Amino acid sequence: MSEDLAQTPSDSIVDKVYLQVRDMAIDYVFKPGERINEVALSKTLGVSRTPLREALNRLNIEGLLKFSPGKGFYCRDLDVNEIFQLYELRKSLEVSAVRLAIQRAGDERIREALDFLEATGPEAGERTVVELVALDEAFHERVMAMSGNAEMLRVLKNVNARIRFVRWIDMRRADRPASQREHRLLLQALLARDENACAALLEKHIDRRMDQITSAIREGYAQIYMAGQELAATT
C-alpha cells in the first residue's frame, strides 16, 4: 500500500468529524465571524488535520462555514439578509413540493403523517426547544418526502440546518398548539387534494418578516456571547 493511500482517512472517520463540527457550526460553538483554529480543533476532536480539513470543506460547500483563500475557515455570521433569503427559499421549496405531493402521495401516507401529529401532541410538554424544532423539521420533511423528489428534500434539509439556530430562538416565542393546528389543516387539505389551500397554508405558516428575523438574530447574538462570558467566568 502506498504512503498516500495509508494516510487517506476512512469515510467513517471523515463522516464522524463532519457530524461533530457540523453540530458545532449549527450551535455557534464558534463565534460568528470567528476564524477556526484547525490545529486546536483537531486536538479537541482527537483527529488529524486531514479528515478535519475534508469535513471543513464539506461544511463550506453546504454554507455552514465560510472559507477565505489564504486565511482559512470561518464561522458564518448571523446575517439577517441571508436568513431571510433562506426562509424565502424554504417557503418556495415547500409550496412547490406540496403541489407535487397532491399528485403523488397516497392517502395512507398522508394519514400516517396525521398519526405522527397525534402522537407528538399539540402541547410542548417537557420537551426542550431543540426537541420541538426537531419535531417540526421532521413534520415538514415528511411532507416534503411525499413529493417523491429526493433532491428537493436534500435542499430542504440543508436550509433547515442553516436556519436552525434562529429557529431555536423563534420556537421560544411560538404558539405550538396553533402551529400544530396549521399542520393538521395542511394535511387535511392535502388529503382533499386542495392545491390552493395547501399553498396558502404553507405560505402563511412559514413566512417570516424581516423585523421578526432581526429580532431573533439580536437575541441569538446575546445568547451566544452571554454563554461565552459564563464559560469564561467558570474557568
Side-chain angles (χ1 to χ4, degrees), residues 118-185:
E118 186 68 28
T120 53
E123 300 296 336
E126 299 298 319
R127 298 185 184 103
T128 66
V129 165
V130 172
E131 290 169 333
L132 291 172
V133 169
L135 283 174
D136 192 78
E137 287 182 4
F139 172 80
H140 284 272
E141 289 172 9
R142 181 185 288 258
V143 174
M144 172 68 77
M146 292 183 202
S147 72
N149 191 310
E151 289 304 309
M152 292 176 77
L153 179 57
R154 180 183 60 81
V155 174
L156 178 64
K157 288 182 176 181
N158 174 261
V159 170
N160 281 338
R162 292 169 69 186
I163 64 173
R164 189 169 297 146
F165 186 83
V166 171
R167 293 213 59 221
W168 288 337
I169 303 298
D170 200 31
M171 185 61 76
R172 294 194 181 99
R173 313 168 181 177
D175 181 345
R176 178 171 168 80
S179 179
Q180 290 292 80
R181 282 195 298 274
E182 291 174 1
H183 286 171
R184 183 172 295 280
L185 287 171

Side-chain angles (χ1 to χ4, degrees), residues 5-229:
L5 287 175
Q7 292 180 349
T8 301
S10 69
D11 289 343
S12 61
I13 294 174
V14 174
D15 289 343
K16 181 181 177 182
V17 175
Y18 161 79
L19 291 172
Q20 287 177 300
V21 182
R22 184 176 184 269
D23 285 345
M24 296 170 78
I26 289 171
D27 295 355
Y28 280 93
V29 172
F30 314 114
K31 301 293 188 295
E34 176 185 359
R35 183 177 179 276
I36 294 172
N37 185 324
E38 293 181 44
V39 174
L41 184 56
S42 65
K43 289 180 180 177
T44 297
L45 299 177
V47 297
S48 71
R49 290 184 65 185
T50 302
L52 175 60
R53 176 56 68 96
E54 289 193 32
L56 293 174
N57 278 319
R58 283 172 63 178
L59 292 166
N60 173 57
I61 291 169
E62 293 175 2
L64 287 164
L65 293 176
K66 301 294 184 184
F67 178 73
S68 178
K71 295 182 179 179
F73 294 91
Y74 290 79
C75 178
R76 64 204 168 107
D77 290 317
L78 270 170
D79 182 87
V80 173
N81 288 319
E82 180 180 299
I83 298 296
F84 181 75
Q85 289 170 16
L86 286 168
Y87 267 102
E88 285 189 325
L89 175 57
R90 179 190 167 197
K91 182 170 62 175
S92 177
L93 277 171
E94 294 203 37
V95 170
S96 296
V98 82
R99 295 186 193 279
L100 293 175
I102 285 171
Q103 303 168 31
R104 299 173 179 176
D107 289 358
E108 183 179 351
R109 197 167 182 188
I110 299 169
R111 291 194 178 98
E112 286 173 357
L114 283 164
D115 291 341
F116 173 79
L117 284 185
E118 186 68 28
T120 53
E123 300 296 336
E126 299 298 319
R127 298 185 184 103
T128 66
V129 165
V130 172
E131 290 169 333
L132 291 172
V133 169
L135 283 174
D136 192 78
E137 287 182 4
F139 172 80
H140 284 272
E141 289 172 9
R142 181 185 288 258
V143 174
M144 172 68 77
M146 292 183 202
S147 72
N149 191 310
E151 289 304 309
M152 292 176 77
L153 179 57
R154 180 183 60 81
V155 174
L156 178 64
K157 288 182 176 181
N158 174 261
V159 170
N160 281 338
R162 292 169 69 186
I163 64 173
R164 189 169 297 146
F165 186 83
V166 171
R167 293 213 59 221
W168 288 337
I169 303 298
D170 200 31
M171 185 61 76
R172 294 194 181 99
R173 313 168 181 177
D175 181 345
R176 178 171 168 80
S179 179
Q180 290 292 80
R181 282 195 298 274
E182 291 174 1
H183 286 171
R184 183 172 295 280
L185 287 171
L186 172 65
L187 292 176
Q188 289 169 346
L190 182 54
L191 197 58
R193 312 297 164 172
D194 189 336
E195 183 174 329
N196 290 334
C198 283
L201 283 162
L202 270 176
E203 287 183 351
K204 179 185 176 185
H205 182 74
I206 297 171
D207 195 47
R208 291 295 182 276
R209 300 189 311 271
M210 185 72 82
D211 63 309
Q212 292 173 313
I213 294 172
T214 301
S215 176
I217 286 178
R218 189 179 299 118
E219 186 174 334
Y221 268 109
Q223 180 177 307
I224 290 167
Y225 286 101
M226 188 178 298
Q229 291 171 1

